[in-house]
Amino acid sequence: MEALLDTIAPILAATLRVATPLILAALAGLFAERSGVVDVGLEGKMLAGAFAAAATATVTGSVWYGLGAAIGAASLLALLHAFACVTLRGNQVVSGMAINVLAAGLTATLALAWFRQGGQTPALPADARFPALPLPGAEWIAEIPLLGRLLVTVIGGHTAPVYIAFALVPVAAFLLWRTRFGLRLRACGENPAAVDSAGISVAKLRYAGVLIAGVLCGMAGATISTAQGAAFSTDMTAGRGFIALAALIVAKWRPWPVLWTCLAFGLLDALAIRLQGVPVFGVTVPVQAMQAVPYVLTVVLLAGFVGRAIPPRAAGVPYVKER
Amino acid sequence: MTAPAIECRGVSKRFGHVLANDSVDLRVERGSIHGVIGENGAGKSTLMAILHGFHPADSGQILVDGNPAVIRDSADAARLGIEMVHQHFMLVEPFTVLENVMLGAEGGALLAEGTAHARQNLLRLGRDYGLVVDPDARIADLPVGARQRVEILKALHRGAEVLILDEPTGVLTPQEADDLFRVLRALRDEGKAVILITHKLREVMAVTDRVSVMRAGRMVAHRETAETTAAELGELMIGRRPAASSRPIPATPGPALLHVDDLRVRDNAGVERVRGVTFALHAGEILGLAGVAGNGQTELLEALSGMRAPEAGAITLRGQNIAGLDAAQIRRRGVAHVPEDRLRHGLVAEFEAQDSAILGYHRDPAWRRVLGLFSRSRVNAHAARLMRDHDVRPAAPRLRSSLFSGGNQQKLIMARELERAPEVLLVGQPTRGVDIGGIEAIHTRLRRWRDAGKAVLLVSVELDEILALSDRILVMFDGRLSGELPAGAADERQLGLLMAGAHA
C-alpha cells in the first residue's frame, strides 16, 4: 500500500502542476470565446508571457515583476487581437494565428538579442522563481494514516500559480453565470444583436473578454517559465495553447468541465513523463508516442465521445449592425 | 392637449446613394396605436431604427413628450422609454425567458440582486396584459408566438412608454395575431404609445387609431383610421391604383402529374418534420400549401426538389418514382424549383447575375466550348435575354447578384427555372421581401404558367398570396396536412384555424 502510494502520489502531484497552465489558458479561451471572439492565439500569448516573465525576473530578480510583465505582454497581444477582430472586424482565426507566429518569432529574436544565449534566457536563481508553498499544518495532516500523506504530497508543496489557477475556476464560473457582466458577455457570444438592442456596447464586452484572456494567458506563460521552469527557451509552450483550446471544446465552454478536462490532459502528460524509458508490459513505449496521447485523445473525444460540442453561436463572427 | 409621445420633424437619413428617410414628420400620441405603413424599402424600418437609436439621424429633430431628445444609441432610447420589438427577435436562444428579460436591465452587478424583482415584474406584466410565459423556459424551446411575448415583456420590463413593433404578425397565425392585438389594445388603454409597422392593410384597419403612410423615403399621408379605407391606404402606399387583384379564373385541371404518398422527411437534427403527407398535383392548377412557418413545408419542398432525401414514402412523377433522386436528376425530369431562401439556395449572392442565371443548368452544351470551357459571351447573351424577357432590372448581366433588389433576384431565378418549360414548378415563398410591384409581376407569371397547363405547387406563409393564387389549398400543421379547401370556399378564419392545427 505504502509503495503504491509512493508511486501514485508524485504522478498526481505532477498532474496538478502540468495542468495549471492548461487551466489558465483554457479559462482564457473561455472568456474570449464566450464573448464571441475565437482565440487560437492562446499559444502565442502564453509564449510571450513566458518570455516576458523570465526576462523580467532575470533583470529585476523578482518573480512577481515577472508575472506582471507576462500579464502586460500577453495583454498587449490580446489588445492587438481585439483590435483586429472587434474594431476592424477581421478574420479571428487569421488574427490568432498571426499572433502565434509573431510571438514565436519575436520572443526568440528578443531572447537572442538581449541575452545572447542561443534564444534562451539565463537560468533563474531560486529566489527569482515561484517557490513551493508548504501546506499549512502539513505535519499534522501527514499524521492521518494513508490519506494524510497523499494529501500532503499531492496538494501541498505547489507554487502559487497552481493554487491561483484552481481558485480561478469557481471565480470564472461565478463571474460568467452569476453576474451582470457574465450574462452580458455570454449573450454577446450567442446573439450580439440582442446585446446591442438592449443598449449595451458589444465592442466593449468583446474587448473585455479578449483582454481577460490576455491576462490569463500571461499568467499561464509565467507559470511555464518561472514556476515549472527556470528560464525561457524557444517555443517552450510546445502546443499547450492548442491543447487548452481542445480542452475548452471538450468541456463545451464551461468552467468546471474545463477543470476536469485539463486535469485529464495533465494526468496523461504526467504519466508520459513518468513512463519515459520505463517498460510497460515488457515494451518500452517511445516518449513521442506517450506525448502524442493527449492529442490523440483530443481527436477521439471530439470525434464523438463528448457528443456534439456546440460553440457560442456568434463566436468567430464579427458583429456588424444590419441596415 | 398634451404633447405627443413622439414627434419627428424633418428627419433624414442617407445610406450611400439611397435617401432612406427624406425629411420625415411623424406625431404619435400617448394612448394610441399608430400604424406606419409602406412597401418594402419605403423607409419605415429606417425611421424606427432612428427612433430606437440603432442608427443616428443625419438631420432633423425628435421630440419625446415635447422635449427635444438626442438618441445616439439604444441606451438613449431606453432612457426615454422607447423600446422596439424587432421583426427578427433579439433574443438569446440558449438563455431562459428571465435571463433574456433581464439582459440590459439586470438591476445590479450581481444577478441575484435583480432576479426576484424581475420574476415578480414578469408575472405581474403577464397578468396585466395577458402575456403568459414561463420565466424559466429556454427561448430555444418556445414557439414563435411565445418568443414574441417575451420580446414585449422585455420591452415592458425595461419601462417602455413607447413600444415599436416591426412587422409583428409575419410569423403568427391569424389567431395569434388577434391575441397580439388584444395585448396592444391593453397597452394603449394603459396610456402607452404603440407604433405598429406593417405592410398589411387589414391589420392597420383592424387595430390602429391613426396611420401614417410612407413611400420612397417620404411621409406621404397621415389619416385617422376611422376616416380612411384600406383601398385609399393601398393607393397611397404604392402611389397608384393597384391592379385589380384577379381572383383566379376557375382552372380546368388536367391529369395528376405528381403524386406524393405518405411522405416522411427528417431535418438535419433528425426530427421528423414531414409526417406522412399525401396529395396529388394536377396539370393546370396552382396548389397552395399554407401554414405557419416551421410546420414542415420547408422540408417537404426540399424532399420534392431533391435537396433532401425523404425518410419514407413515394414521390411519383408521371408514374415514375423520383423519391431520393438528387436535385439535378429531378430537374432533368421536368421539375423546376424556386427555393424559399433565394440567397442560400436560389443564387450565389457573390456571383455575377449571368452566372446565377445558369446555375443548375451550367452543363448545358449551349454555352460550352471545347474541353468543357464556358463561353462567357454566350452565357452573357443568354442572361441578357432572360433579363429582358422577364423585366429584371437593371438588365445588367455583369452586376453582382446581391446588388439586385429582392424582387429582381426572384424574377431572375423564376426566369432561369421557367426557361426550360418544366411540367411541374415548385415555388417557395416567391414574394418574401419583394415589393408590391414585384409581387404583381411574379403572381402574373405564376398564373400564366398555370394557364399554360403546367402544374404549380405554391408554398407560402402569406395567406393573402395563397388566397389570391391557389385553385386548391392544402394546410400543413406539425408535419401533416390538416385540411384541404377549394379556393372558392376558403376564408381566412377557416384557414387560420387549420393553420393552428384544428381539423376541418
Side-chain angles (χ1 to χ4, degrees):
Chain A
M1 199 63 205
E2 292 279 309
L4 189 65
L5 267 185
D6 285 340
T7 333
I8 291 177
I11 294 180
L12 293 183
T15 299
L16 301 196
R17 222 165 23 244
V18 292
T20 296
L22 291 183
I23 294 168
L24 290 168
L27 289 179
L30 180 70
F31 276 96
E33 302 208 349
R34 278 286 178 182
S35 82
V37 180
V38 167
D39 199 345
V40 295
L42 299 176
E43 176 82 3
K45 291 200 281 279
M46 271 163 81
L47 195 62
F51 172 71
T56 309
T58 302
V59 174
T60 65
S62 159
V63 68
W64 294 103
Y65 285 165
L67 178 66
I71 289 173
S75 300
L76 218 58
L77 287 181
L79 206 59
L80 189 66
H81 187 53
F83 182 68
C85 298
V86 181
T87 307
L88 301 182
R89 300 182 194 124
N91 183 303
Q92 303 177 357
V93 174
V94 171
S95 165
M97 286 313 292
I99 282 169
N100 289 339
V101 175
L102 178 70
L106 203 60
T107 51
T109 310
L110 290 181
L112 197 62
W114 289 347
F115 300 103
R116 311 216 165 271
Q117 295 189 4
Q120 296 214 338
T121 59
L124 291 168
D127 61 355
R129 300 180 54 206
F130 282 103
L133 305 172
L135 200 61
E139 54 274 30
W140 295 316
I141 297 171
E143 292 300 310
I144 306 169
L146 294 179
L147 207 62
R149 262 191 45 210
L150 194 67
L151 271 179
V152 171
T153 342
V154 176
I155 301 192
H158 290 293
T159 54
V162 177
Y163 299 114
I164 294 173
F166 279 82
L168 280 178
V169 175
V171 170
F174 180 83
L175 202 58
L176 283 168
W177 268 269
R178 296 269 181 270
T179 69
R180 175 171 63 194
F181 170 73
L183 184 78
R184 292 176 173 188
L185 193 84
R186 286 184 295 124
C188 230
E190 298 289 346
N191 185 358
V195 176
D196 193 10
S197 76
I200 310 162
S201 162
V202 173
K204 275 187 202 160
L205 279 167
R206 289 195 163 170
Y207 263 89
V210 174
L211 271 178
I212 291 174
V215 170
L216 292 170
C217 280
M219 291 165 69
T223 306
I224 292 173
S225 66
T226 58
Q228 296 180 355
F232 170 84
S233 59
T234 313
D235 284 331
M236 78 180 305
T237 46
R240 284 190 188 81
F242 293 102
I243 290 277
L245 215 51
L248 181 63
I249 297 168
V250 172
K252 299 183 179 174
W253 293 268
R254 291 179 163 270
W256 287 105
V258 157
L259 176 63
W260 311 134
T261 320
C262 289
L263 281 174
F265 285 162
L267 178 65
L268 284 170
D269 219 7
L271 279 173
I273 297 165
R274 187 76 186 177
L275 295 179
Q276 271 182 33
V278 179
V280 180
F281 304 118
V283 186
T284 309
V285 183
V287 183
Q288 290 84 351
M290 286 303 297
Q291 284 169 342
V293 170
Y295 299 88
V296 174
L297 187 76
T298 305
V299 172
V300 172
L301 284 176
L302 292 184
F305 279 91
V306 288
R308 259 183 73 206
I310 301 163
R313 182 175 294 187
V317 188
Y319 177 59
V320 186
K321 275 188 191 198
E322 299 179 58
R323 249 192 62 183
Chain B
M1 200 175 125
T2 54
I6 293 276
E7 183 170 3
C8 298
R9 290 182 188 159
V11 169
S12 293
K13 175 75 187 174
R14 180 182 287 280
F15 290 111
H17 300 298
V18 185
L19 194 54
N21 276 181
D22 184 1
S23 190
V24 168
D25 296 328
L26 178 70
R27 282 172 67 100
V28 180
E29 305 292 340
R30 288 195 167 280
S32 78
I33 301 178
H34 196 115
V36 175
I37 60 170
E39 291 196 76
N40 286 309
K44 316 179 290 271
S45 295
T46 303
L47 181 61
M48 295 309 135
I50 290 170
L51 284 179
H52 183 241
F54 221 58
H55 304 298
D58 293 340
S59 61
Q61 203 184 12
I62 298 169
L63 291 89
V64 177
D65 293 327
N67 307 313
V70 181
I71 307 176
R72 279 169 315 233
D73 54 29
S74 307
D76 285 345
R79 265 189 291 282
L80 294 164
I82 304 171
E83 294 287 342
M84 179 149 175
V85 174
H86 293 262
Q87 189 177 0
H88 305 289
F89 300 148
M90 296 292 181
L91 296 173
V92 183
E93 287 200 11
F95 283 17
T96 64
V97 169
L98 196 61
E99 286 173 320
N100 267 287
V101 167
M102 288 176 72
L103 184 64
E106 294 86 349
L110 297 182
L111 290 184
E113 295 169 28
T115 307
H117 166 70
R119 187 181 291 276
Q120 247 167 26
N121 201 23
L122 211 56
L123 292 176
R124 185 181 62 75
L125 291 169
R127 250 193 336 269
D128 289 359
Y129 300 109
L131 289 159
V132 183
V133 193
D134 171 12
D136 298 308
R138 269 181 206 293
I139 298 299
D141 300 331
L142 292 178
V144 176
R147 290 184 194 197
Q148 188 170 58
R149 290 201 287 279
V150 177
E151 279 279 30
I152 297 173
L153 284 168
K154 195 166 103 179
L156 295 176
H157 177 68
R158 292 160 59 91
E161 286 302 316
V162 177
L163 185 65
I164 306 169
L165 296 104
D166 189 4
E167 302 280 0
T169 60
V171 289
L172 304 181
T173 63
Q175 281 77 13
E176 284 175 316
D178 286 344
D179 287 340
L180 172 67
F181 294 157
R182 253 194 299 283
V183 171
L184 297 187
R185 287 191 194 101
L187 290 170
R188 170 190 61 193
D189 297 343
E190 286 283 302
K192 312 227 185 251
V194 177
I195 304 178
L196 178 69
I197 309 170
T198 182
H199 63 265
K200 294 182 182 166
L201 296 172
R202 187 164 31 88
E203 291 173 0
V204 171
M205 298 308 293
V207 73
T208 63
D209 301 307
R210 261 174 290 276
V211 54
S212 299
V213 187
M214 291 191 77
R215 187 171 73 227
R218 293 164 177 276
M219 201 55 97
V220 292
H222 303 281
R223 294 281 186 275
E224 296 285 323
T225 309
E227 294 164 10
T228 185
T229 61
E232 187 199 13
L233 291 176
E235 220 171 296
L236 287 167
M237 234 162 89
I238 59 175
R240 62 186 157 86
R241 208 170 279 280
S245 79
S246 51
R247 196 71 172 171
I249 339 152
T252 44
L257 288 179
L258 188 77
H259 285 280
V260 174
D261 192 26
D262 197 24
L263 192 71
R264 290 167 187 278
V265 188
R266 288 181 190 277
D267 67 9
N268 290 342
V271 181
E272 196 174 60
R273 302 306 296 268
V274 178
R275 313 199 292 165
V277 163
T278 302
F279 66 89
L281 177 62
H282 296 260
E285 76 167 347
I286 296 180
L287 177 59
L289 184 65
V292 179
N295 275 288
Q297 307 98 307
T298 300
E299 289 77 11
L300 176 65
L301 206 51
E302 285 177 351
L304 294 180
S305 63
M307 285 165 66
R308 182 184 292 279
E311 180 81 4
I315 306 168
T316 352
L317 178 68
R318 281 191 239 87
Q320 210 186 356
N321 190 5
I322 57 166
L325 295 185
D326 69 31
Q329 291 167 321
I330 287 179
R331 193 172 260 146
R332 242 176 281 136
R333 283 167 170 74
V335 179
H337 179 209
V338 177
E340 287 187 323
D341 188 341
R342 62 175 163 268
L343 288 176
R344 284 185 60 204
H345 300 130
L347 41 73
V348 179
E350 299 304 313
F351 275 16
E352 291 172 0
Q354 59 181 18
D355 295 329
S356 281
I358 60 164
L359 287 177
Y361 306 101
H362 47 280
R363 301 208 168 145
D364 191 316
W367 33 80
R368 285 306 182 86
R369 287 191 308 195
V370 282
L371 301 175
L373 298 174
F374 280 120
S375 160
R376 303 300 300 173
S377 60
R378 279 180 229 159
V379 171
N380 187 288
H382 173 75
R385 186 178 58 74
L386 280 187
M387 295 174 103
R388 217 169 35 244
D389 290 356
H390 288 78
D391 191 29
V392 179
R393 277 178 267 180
R398 300 295 308 270
L399 196 62
R400 200 146 41 95
S401 305
S402 60
L403 296 178
F404 289 82
S405 70
N408 283 300
Q409 288 173 351
Q410 196 69 319
K411 281 195 249 173
L412 183 65
I413 296 169
M414 294 266 291
R416 179 184 76 206
E417 298 301 328
L418 294 182
E419 175 70 7
R420 304 294 151 131
E423 289 297 313
V424 176
L425 179 64
L426 310 170
V427 281
Q429 320 299 346
T431 54
R432 180 180 281 170
V434 174
D435 59 35
I436 289 192
I439 292 176
E440 278 179 25
I442 289 166
H443 283 185
T444 308
R445 209 156 276 281
L446 289 174
R447 279 202 199 91
R448 253 192 252 149
W449 205 247
R450 189 268 317 262
D451 294 341
K454 315 285 188 188
V456 178
L457 177 68
L458 167 72
V459 177
S460 177
V461 294
E462 294 288 341
L463 269 190
D464 294 340
E465 179 162 76
I466 292 277
L467 287 168
L469 288 177
S470 312
D471 301 308
R472 203 152 57 91
I473 300 171
L474 299 174
V475 184
M476 200 161 174
F477 174 75
D478 197 22
R480 296 194 177 90
L481 295 181
S482 57
E484 176 180 339
L485 300 165
D491 68 43
E492 234 167 67
R493 208 189 67 82
Q494 204 179 356
L495 276 176
L497 285 173
L498 288 171
M499 284 161 68
H503 278 275

